[in-house]
Amino acid sequence: MNSNIDLIKTSQDSVNEYIRKMEEISENSLKAKVITHGCQMNEHDSEKIKWLLEKMGYKLIEDDNEADLVILNTCSVRHSAEDKVYGQLGSLKHLKTTNKNLKVAVCGCMMQRQASRDYVIEKFENVDIIFGTNNIWKLPELLYKSYNGQKLSMDIQNKYLDLDNNLGANRLYSYKSYVNIMYGCNNFCTFCIVPYTRGREKSREADEIVDEIKSLIDKGSKEITLLGQNVNSYGRGLENKTSFAQLLYRINDIKGVERIRFMTSHPKDISDELIYAFRDLDHLCNFLHLPVQAGSSRILKLMNRKYTKEDYLRKIDKIRQVNPDIALSTDIMVGFPGETEEDFEETLDLVKRVEYDTSFTFLYSMRSGTPAAKSLNQVPDKIKHERFQKLLDILYPIQYEKNKKFINKTVKVLGEDISKKDSRKISGRNDEFKLVNFNGSAEDIGKIVNVKITSVNSFAMEGVKVE
């Protein structure tokens, strides 16, 4: 038998054994809270963590003060995300003085970085358990050791093990689901910490993914979001060769699938085959997130993005030739080391030419361990903020004009939650991933309903439900 399969079988037996041991300790009386930072990948990891907790007999709650266990699932993409975690650990340190039995666990991308991990160990003695992104399945064993007197119960794996695919998940929603199709990243953009925290690329077999999606559809899921750090490179290294576009065509044919989304695409790897999928597949949503990061070819080279501004614009032109109405989203970074005023003007020019429907904009954040952090040509914060505001002043009017085109049109919206701005309304997303608030009731959550758009701003749309 293959040694990796032996390892997975042994590990699975170990997981089940420690779940049983923790059940005896918890006796269904322990309560846990999971706090999630970061991307959809982290959200899905937290679904797995919650599944394990319930298997061990924990009741999931939202109040820190009632918790016997608090787990922070962390993000390290930007410094501000780490600072938020440190602040929460400080609050939990205080809480632990009043609740001596409280266990605190920290997991996720921050813990895969040795510098962040060492800082947590040094500054926060209240942390009992540490694990990384590649060994969520170790949680029952780490908890058991902590309850049996181990001061710091810690396990970090640098290599992804297939066992995580055998874990269940406490799905946040019954009507929409995240599905990992691959893990890790091989691109090593000079600003990004992900390859160091998530490891190198590894794709799941297509049959395994399809089977998981069929199971989710049977349980009521209407919308499937495929996750990977770079889904466009899916399939490399698989024994049964499958491209990302081929995987999409297979998923589109699954009976009961209503919507397919995916995150995230790398521009250098988007293929013609994938572009044509936006023409051919009736369940693939009319939305593409294609992070550009910067509009200057010089800066893109310093970022190690492996495409130029002209390459990117050619991809956009081809996409719009195939699907003129597609909604486009992007990531834009302001203030990368060495960015000049001329480089920034190139970014503004690209934004005007592409006219994005939505965008995720952020200031460059120095991440230790990445090549860009070593640059002596850092952009002063004052200049970063000035440029950032200039960018928003161009992006927001474009987004408003894009949304205006939907006024008086009827769109299909998946009801997702009670609106945060008006408890009398339901919020959800249309096919183009635009946020829509409409008059409805809790019965509309989890359903795809017709909504006539009545008004818009740069960030959301308002509408009324119609039959």
Side-chain angles (χ1 to χ4, degrees):
M1 182 178 285
N2 182 285
S3 59
N4 191 48
I5 295 174
D6 283 337
L7 177 59
I8 292 171
K9 184 177 186 302
T10 302
S11 299
Q12 186 70 64
D13 291 342
S14 176
V15 172
N16 293 334
E17 176 64 17
Y18 280 107
I19 285 175
R20 185 189 62 77
K21 290 179 177 180
M22 281 305 303
E23 279 184 297
E24 293 175 359
I25 291 174
S26 70
E27 295 181 335
N28 294 313
S29 64
L30 296 178
K31 300 174 183 177
K33 177 178 179 179
V34 179
I35 301 171
T36 308
H37 297 274
C39 65
Q40 292 96 332
M41 191 81 76
N42 274 21
E43 289 182 22
H44 187 36
D45 284 349
S46 287
E47 291 181 332
K48 296 176 182 178
I49 290 168
K50 290 177 180 180
W51 180 84
L52 281 170
L53 289 170
E54 289 197 330
K55 286 289 183 182
M56 289 183 277
Y58 280 88
K59 179 183 178 183
L60 298 173
I61 62 168
E62 291 299 321
D63 189 347
D64 293 4
N65 296 295
E66 294 183 10
D68 300 289
L69 168 67
V70 175
I71 299 179
L72 300 181
N73 188 4
T74 63
C75 171
S76 61
V77 170
R78 288 186 282 279
H79 199 280
S80 58
E82 293 203 1
D83 286 342
K84 188 176 292 186
V85 170
Y86 296 142
Q88 289 172 334
L89 286 174
S91 299
L92 290 170
K93 183 187 290 188
H94 173 72
L95 184 60
K96 208 162 184 178
T97 61
T98 58
N99 182 0
K100 301 294 184 183
N101 296 321
L102 176 65
K103 299 285 184 185
V104 176
V106 188
C107 65
C109 292
M110 275 178 66
M111 295 303 94
Q112 290 289 149
R113 293 185 67 223
Q114 186 167 345
S116 302
R117 188 167 68 244
D118 289 348
Y119 184 82
V120 167
I121 292 170
E122 178 186 354
K123 298 294 184 181
F124 299 99
E125 294 181 357
N126 58 315
V127 172
D128 303 284
I129 297 162
I130 288 175
F131 58 103
T133 57
N134 297 328
N135 58 337
I136 292 169
W137 48 276
K138 276 281 190 176
L139 178 58
E141 179 181 345
L142 296 173
L143 268 171
Y144 180 78
K145 289 179 177 178
S146 182
Y147 274 104
N148 280 274
Q150 188 161 315
K151 185 173 169 60
L152 176 60
S153 190
M154 180 169 69
D155 193 294
I156 301 295
Q157 299 281 341
N158 291 320
K159 185 176 180 181
Y160 172 74
L161 185 63
D162 287 344
L163 180 67
D164 273 0
N165 292 333
N166 298 328
L167 290 180
N170 183 323
R171 301 284 176 174
L172 291 173
Y173 312 97
S174 60
Y175 48 87
K176 64 175 186 174
S177 304
Y178 297 130
V179 175
N180 286 117
I181 66 169
M182 61 189 301
Y183 300 87
C185 182
N186 289 352
N187 288 308
F188 289 91
C189 299
T190 58
F191 57 82
C192 186
I193 201 71
V194 168
Y196 308 97
T197 60
R198 289 277 177 182
R200 303 303 293 270
E201 284 182 0
K202 181 174 177 60
S203 297
R204 296 175 63 192
E205 291 290 345
D207 287 348
E208 185 180 303
I209 295 167
V210 168
D211 287 345
E212 180 179 349
I213 292 173
K214 286 179 178 178
S215 175
L216 292 168
I217 298 300
D218 288 344
K219 294 173 183 175
S221 193
K222 293 178 172 60
E223 180 177 293
I224 302 295
T225 300
L226 308 175
L227 298 180
Q229 303 300 334
N230 176 18
V231 293
N232 294 347
S233 63
Y234 169 82
R236 293 173 187 167
L238 282 179
E239 185 175 340
N240 300 306
K241 296 295 184 183
T242 305
S243 70
F244 180 51
Q246 288 168 341
L247 178 66
L248 286 175
Y249 279 81
R250 283 191 63 181
I251 294 170
N252 190 74
D253 289 339
I254 296 174
K255 185 178 180 180
V257 167
E258 295 192 46
R259 282 183 171 182
I260 306 167
R261 301 190 188 276
F262 57 83
M263 295 281 280
T264 292
S265 283
H266 195 297
K268 74 178 178 63
D269 293 316
I270 192 167
S271 65
D272 288 352
E273 186 184 23
L274 176 55
I275 291 172
Y276 295 141
F278 284 99
R279 176 195 64 194
D280 298 340
L281 302 185
D282 52 348
H283 299 304
L284 182 59
C285 286
N286 195 36
F287 170 82
L288 174 62
H289 182 67
L290 196 63
V292 67
Q293 302 300 350
S296 161
S297 293
R298 188 183 76 87
I299 293 298
L300 289 170
K301 185 174 182 179
L302 291 175
M303 290 178 168
N304 193 36
R305 293 291 286 175
K306 297 184 175 67
Y307 56 85
T308 65
K309 175 183 180 180
E310 291 71 29
D311 293 334
Y312 185 90
L313 289 172
R314 279 193 290 270
K315 300 272 189 181
I316 295 296
D317 287 344
K318 184 170 288 189
I319 290 163
R320 284 192 164 141
Q321 286 170 10
V322 169
N323 185 341
D325 297 322
I326 194 168
L328 294 173
S329 172
T330 197
D331 294 345
I332 301 175
M333 180 186 300
V334 174
F336 183 81
E339 181 187 73
T340 65
E341 196 63 35
E342 290 75 18
D343 292 320
F344 179 65
E345 288 296 327
E346 289 285 337
T347 296
L348 298 183
D349 175 68
L350 182 139
V351 165
K352 293 172 185 174
R353 290 169 68 174
V354 176
E355 297 187 333
Y356 294 104
D357 290 72
T358 55
S359 56
F360 299 88
T361 54
F362 47 95
L363 303 175
Y364 166 73
S365 177
M366 189 185 300
R367 310 310 295 126
S368 62
T370 62
K374 299 173 185 176
S375 173
L376 300 178
N377 202 9
Q378 301 291 329
V379 178
D381 284 346
K382 183 175 184 294
I383 293 177
K384 284 185 191 177
H385 285 280
E386 288 173 352
R387 290 177 183 171
F388 189 73
Q389 189 57 54
K390 287 181 183 178
L391 176 63
L392 297 185
D393 288 344
I394 291 174
L395 282 168
Y396 289 167
I398 291 172
Q399 292 172 191
Y400 175 62
E401 289 300 318
K402 289 279 186 177
N403 286 348
K404 272 175 62 177
K405 295 178 182 178
F406 284 87
I407 292 178
N408 292 324
K409 290 186 177 180
T410 298
V411 299
K412 292 188 179 299
V413 178
L414 174 60
E416 297 184 8
D417 210 342
I418 303 295
S419 172
K420 291 182 173 63
K421 291 190 174 182
D422 187 343
S423 60
R424 298 168 299 177
K425 293 185 176 183
I426 300 299
S427 66
R429 301 274 178 179
N430 72 349
D431 203 49
E432 288 76 17
F433 202 64
K434 294 177 184 290
L435 181 64
V436 179
N437 297 298
F438 62 94
N439 63 316
S441 67
E443 292 182 356
D444 294 314
I445 296 175
K447 296 179 181 177
I448 295 178
V449 298
N450 293 317
V451 177
K452 184 177 182 180
I453 304 303
T454 55
S455 64
V456 302
N457 57 36
S458 295
F459 316 105
M461 302 192 284
E462 302 289 323
V464 294
K465 188 171 68 170
V466 296
E467 297 301 325

